[in-house]
Amino acid sequence: MSVHIGAKEGQIAETVLLPGDPLRAKFIAENFLENVECYNEVRGMYGFTGYYKGKRVSVQGTGMGVPSISIYVNELINSYGVKNLIRIGTCGAINENIKVRDIILAMTSCTTSNINRINFNGLDYAPAASFDLLYKAYEYSKNNGIDVKVGNILTEDSFYHDDREFYKIWAKYGVLAVEMETTALYTLAAKYGVNALTILTVSDHVITGEETTAQERQTTFTKMMEIALNLA
Ligand SMILES: O=P(O)(O)O[C@H]1O[C@H](CO)[C@@H](O)[C@H]1O
Ligand SMILES: O=c1cc[nH]c(=O)[nH]1
């Protein structure tokens, strides 16, 4: 057991999918995995291990935001020896070339979080995806007719802003979408020498106001789940 995960040693696979929403983890376990066992219910943050096409894989909810995902990623790596961490999340598009339900492979992430500036004495660190996972995810998508966009995203500390003008500068510099965890995931993966990738589905468009339902966010963004599972 670690502080926030109730699994015994060996119960978590080397490759773990990381949705923010624990009910998305349950959905994946129930609909994609065979021989599934639930290894974690601490704080309702479900974790499951099962088999996908014969390969052992786990799926673990992370909660929302940098502090929450940082706890799970630290414990998965340091207490359970996880080697490949693949976030499957939702995001808000801020770029006119990105539409609701598009899939994004996050190559890099900017952030409004101060977490890295605290660690790097006020200087900037550039968190990046593991090239191997990014390349494989892109290749799988192309070979299976799944359209993906690849680029820079913004990991935010706030979900709500007073002013939507805030997003314009990021969009101008090519940032595709906003979410709340990837900077922490990529930084911790680099720190501990393991692999990480974020795959996102656009759940809403921050500029146009187009959006999806909570049900859709929980259960229907299956293409990104398929890409992530095939990386296992
Ligand atoms: O759908 P998940 O993976 O939770 O990701 C996005 O959704 C949450 C906000 O609604 C934040 O966690 C954000 O990063
Ligand atoms: O963090 C997020 C996730 C989805 N949509 C947003 O606008 N922000």
Side-chain angles (χ1 to χ4, degrees):
M1 269 194 78
S2 59
V3 178
H4 301 91
I5 302 175
K8 296 190 202 81
E9 199 184 329
Q11 272 190 307
I12 302 181
E14 276 202 350
T15 298
V16 181
L17 273 52
L18 301 170
D21 180 354
L23 293 180
R24 196 180 309 139
K26 189 162 181 271
F27 173 84
I28 293 166
E30 286 171 353
N31 291 279
F32 290 95
L33 302 186
E34 293 175 331
N35 298 325
V36 180
E37 71 169 341
C38 177
Y39 65 75
N40 191 50
E41 290 188 351
V42 176
R43 291 178 179 248
M45 202 60 76
Y46 293 122
F48 302 89
T49 297
Y51 289 82
Y52 180 76
K53 295 183 182 170
K55 297 271 166 60
R56 193 162 178 260
V57 62
S58 296
V59 53
Q60 171 67 56
T62 66
M64 292 183 275
V66 161
S68 188
I69 193 170
S70 298
I71 287 172
Y72 292 98
V73 168
N74 262 298
E75 293 181 23
L76 287 169
I77 296 170
N78 294 317
S79 300
Y80 296 98
V82 170
K83 301 287 183 225
N84 303 301
L85 299 111
I86 305 163
R87 166 162 156 70
I88 41 172
T90 60
C91 65
I94 58 170
N95 194 295
E96 62 188 22
N97 301 320
I98 305 291
K99 300 181 303 300
V100 170
R101 298 180 190 80
D102 278 357
I103 297 176
I104 295 173
L105 307 181
M107 192 160 62
T108 48
S109 71
C110 310
T111 191
T112 59
S113 162
N114 247 346
I115 192 157
N116 280 344
R117 290 212 170 147
I118 293 165
N119 289 335
F120 289 88
N121 294 323
L123 301 176
D124 293 320
Y125 174 75
S130 303
F131 181 73
D132 193 42
L133 285 180
L134 179 62
Y135 180 80
K136 283 184 180 144
Y138 185 75
E139 190 180 43
Y140 177 86
S141 304
K142 287 292 151 200
N143 290 342
N144 289 277
I146 304 171
D147 186 38
V148 290
K149 319 280 190 230
V150 183
N152 200 352
I153 62 160
L154 173 64
T155 295
E156 289 200 83
D157 260 357
S158 310
F159 183 84
Y160 295 105
H161 286 277
D162 291 339
D163 186 359
R164 284 178 184 236
E165 290 292 306
F166 166 81
Y167 294 107
K168 283 197 175 154
I169 185 80
W170 299 101
K172 185 177 168 191
Y173 280 76
V175 174
L176 305 178
V178 296
E179 54 85 84
M180 300 179 70
E181 292 84 15
T182 296
T183 285
L185 171 63
Y186 286 1
T187 304
L188 288 169
K191 177 178 179 182
Y192 293 114
V194 300
N195 304 308
L197 175 67
T198 288
I199 307 173
L200 300 167
T201 303
V202 178
S203 58
D204 54 280
H205 204 296
V206 177
I207 310 300
T208 65
E210 193 186 352
E211 57 188 12
T212 52
T213 62
Q215 177 72 12
E216 201 174 350
R217 290 196 295 275
Q218 190 181 312
T219 60
T220 67
F221 292 158
T222 50
K223 285 283 179 215
M224 74 171 163
M225 300 172 194
E226 179 191 326
I227 299 169
L229 284 164
N230 278 284
L231 291 177

